[in-house]
Amino acid sequence: MCGLIAASIGISINTSGVFYSVVASSLHLYRGSFAFHMTIFSMVTAITALFVPSLLKKINFKLLLTIAVLLAVLGTAGMALASKTWQFNLLGALRGFATGIFSIVTVTMIINNWFIAKNGLTTSLALAFSGIMGATFSPIFAIIIEKTNWQFAYLVEAIVILLLTLPAILIPYKLDPAEEKRAPYGQAEETATTVNPGSRKINTTALLLLIVFSAFVAYSSSMTQHLPGYAGSMNYSIELGANLLSLGMIGNIVSKLLVGVISDYMGIVKATLLLISANILACILLIIGHPVALLIIGSFLFGSSYGLGAVCSPLLTLKAFGKNNYGKTFPMMSFAGNLGASIAFSIIGYIYDFTSSYIPAIIVILLMLIATVLSVLFIGKFPKIIRKIP
């Protein structure tokens, strides 16, 4: 599962920024025109995620995974041969569809099937590899581009995706341990008093609040990519801006690793509220902005917004609706998250264009984070509410 997340998000998405300026300059394209293929990638991934549970029921899992990986590898290798905007956009759609099949929805469904105990730890370990691989391979691809060319770098990326996904294809295992007549890890620890919302009707209010939560935290996380621009708007150096982005990525990795562990001991509601508090503090520090130490601390804490979307969202969904309804509900959270992230880049940029400041954008994010607190508090009460339903 670590390999699937590393390939579908860590390599395919989190290293994409390395290519923007180089490819655009090489082919005499607008940077925004080339980068638009990743917007298409994100939107197609979001739509695909909605249908993943149905596809997993109708098609053999290993066969579906193999086809998806081959499409992702071929689509990425095809980027090396493309030269027109429409070609990149078409390949972006193909890659988005393929990686959407073996991304967060599939991975978390498998983890939920195989792990009852330490579910939070396992989820956070797997999803942390999106940040780890992004941070590791971005400079590697940059060096390859500098030493050779961007076309060869895309071919190397395709090979890396294949290598990362091979274990999930080759190692024998089933989608659900019951298919192997085995029990999930920690099943003996499951008590008769455990609430199983999956056997009950899906609560519309809880569903809508979690959709809002996923969209808002994904929107918030997009501000991390604007940290270099924010530093520039405050007349700080380009080097500091790059360092702020790196700190945000470190916060991304650390938060994903920690929040799952914390949730196993404190519960996912308290763990999520703790992470939201860190993000609210980050917004305040970024708004103050002086001295530089506040920006540094704020950037690191702000990176934890990725942990909210990647780890807290699936765990909250599992808590609210149970494993039985997870496949019906989490794809909606995934769609909302991808949608929130895809529009945030443009909206945050437009806010700066019209106001000449990132402060209004950060204030909007601060309000969104406060709103997510209400969603989480309701989810915390939701299992108690459904116990009272006859």
Side-chain angles (χ1 to χ4, degrees):
M1 297 308 102
C2 293
L4 294 182
I5 289 296
S8 62
I9 302 176
I11 299 297
S12 299
I13 298 176
N14 290 349
T15 66
S16 60
V18 174
F19 294 89
Y20 289 171
S21 59
V22 178
V23 177
S25 176
S26 173
L27 298 178
H28 306 290
L29 301 172
Y30 288 114
R31 192 175 302 186
S33 298
F34 173 71
F36 187 69
H37 82 276
M38 286 307 298
T39 298
I40 295 176
F41 179 108
S42 297
M43 292 305 300
V44 173
T45 297
I47 295 171
T48 302
L50 293 173
F51 300 97
V52 163
S54 298
L55 290 173
L56 291 175
K57 291 179 181 178
K58 297 177 181 178
I59 304 175
N60 177 273
F61 168 61
K62 283 299 185 74
L63 176 62
L64 181 63
L65 178 60
T66 302
I67 293 173
V69 166
L70 289 176
L71 289 177
V73 171
L74 292 174
T76 303
M79 297 287 283
L81 305 175
S83 59
K84 306 292 184 183
T85 302
W86 69 267
Q87 295 170 346
F88 288 115
N89 290 343
L90 181 62
L91 289 169
L94 175 64
R95 295 170 69 213
F97 168 75
T99 56
I101 292 175
F102 59 90
S103 193
I104 293 180
V105 173
T106 301
V107 167
T108 53
M109 285 180 66
I110 293 172
I111 290 174
N112 291 342
N113 286 340
W114 280 88
F115 292 88
I116 292 176
K118 306 298 181 184
N119 182 279
L121 172 62
T122 313
T123 301
S124 65
L125 282 173
L127 296 178
F129 270 78
S130 63
I132 292 171
M133 299 307 286
T136 302
F137 275 88
S138 289
I140 292 176
F141 288 145
I143 292 172
I144 293 174
I145 292 171
E146 182 181 358
K147 299 296 183 182
T148 57
N149 52 56
W150 60 266
Q151 290 92 339
F152 183 68
Y154 269 124
L155 293 177
V156 174
E157 181 177 326
I159 294 172
V160 172
I161 290 173
L162 177 62
L163 293 176
L164 288 170
T165 52
L166 275 179
I169 295 175
L170 299 178
I171 294 175
Y173 66 96
K174 299 291 185 180
L175 188 66
D176 193 315
E179 297 178 36
E180 300 182 21
K181 297 181 180 180
R182 299 173 66 183
Y185 176 75
Q187 186 178 63
E189 300 174 25
E190 191 176 28
T191 65
T193 57
T194 300
V195 178
N196 183 15
S199 62
R200 299 181 183 272
K201 185 178 179 180
I202 295 173
N203 182 282
T204 305
T205 302
L207 180 63
L208 290 175
L209 286 174
L210 268 176
I211 288 174
V212 170
F213 172 87
S214 298
F216 279 9
V217 297
Y219 181 102
S220 301
S221 67
S222 298
M223 180 63 202
T224 309
Q225 300 298 323
H226 286 274
L227 289 175
Y230 183 51
S233 71
M234 300 179 71
N235 297 318
Y236 287 119
S237 66
I238 296 175
E239 182 180 359
L240 176 63
N243 289 335
L244 294 183
L245 179 56
S246 296
L247 284 166
M249 289 298 102
I250 293 172
N252 168 8
I253 298 168
V254 172
S255 69
K256 288 178 180 176
L257 289 172
L258 287 180
V259 71
V261 179
I262 296 172
S263 71
D264 284 335
Y265 287 96
M266 298 174 54
I268 185 56
V269 172
K270 292 180 180 178
T272 303
L273 291 174
L274 183 63
L275 218 56
I276 293 174
S277 300
N279 276 268
I280 290 175
L281 176 59
C283 287
I284 295 172
L285 294 178
L286 290 174
I287 290 172
I288 297 172
H290 296 283
V292 175
L294 296 183
L295 276 181
I296 292 173
I297 297 172
S299 297
F300 171 76
L301 291 175
F302 203 87
S304 61
S305 57
Y306 289 98
L308 285 170
V311 182
C312 294
S313 184
L315 292 180
L316 284 171
T317 305
L318 181 63
K319 177 179 177 61
F321 305 114
K323 190 176 77 172
N324 293 342
N325 281 327
Y326 186 87
K328 300 175 185 177
T329 53
F330 184 67
M332 300 182 201
M333 316 309 162
S334 179
F335 178 83
N338 279 290
L339 182 62
S342 64
I343 66 175
F345 289 111
S346 299
I347 292 180
I348 292 173
Y350 281 131
I351 289 175
Y352 176 79
D353 290 335
F354 287 112
T355 65
S356 299
S357 172
Y358 282 100
I359 299 295
I362 298 176
I363 292 174
V364 170
I365 289 172
L366 183 59
L367 295 175
M368 285 183 170
L369 290 170
I370 293 172
T372 61
V373 172
L374 301 177
S375 299
V376 176
L377 289 175
F378 181 85
I379 296 305
K381 298 292 184 182
F382 181 55
K384 296 178 182 178
I385 293 172
I386 65 166
R387 279 199 196 103
K388 299 178 181 179
I389 300 175

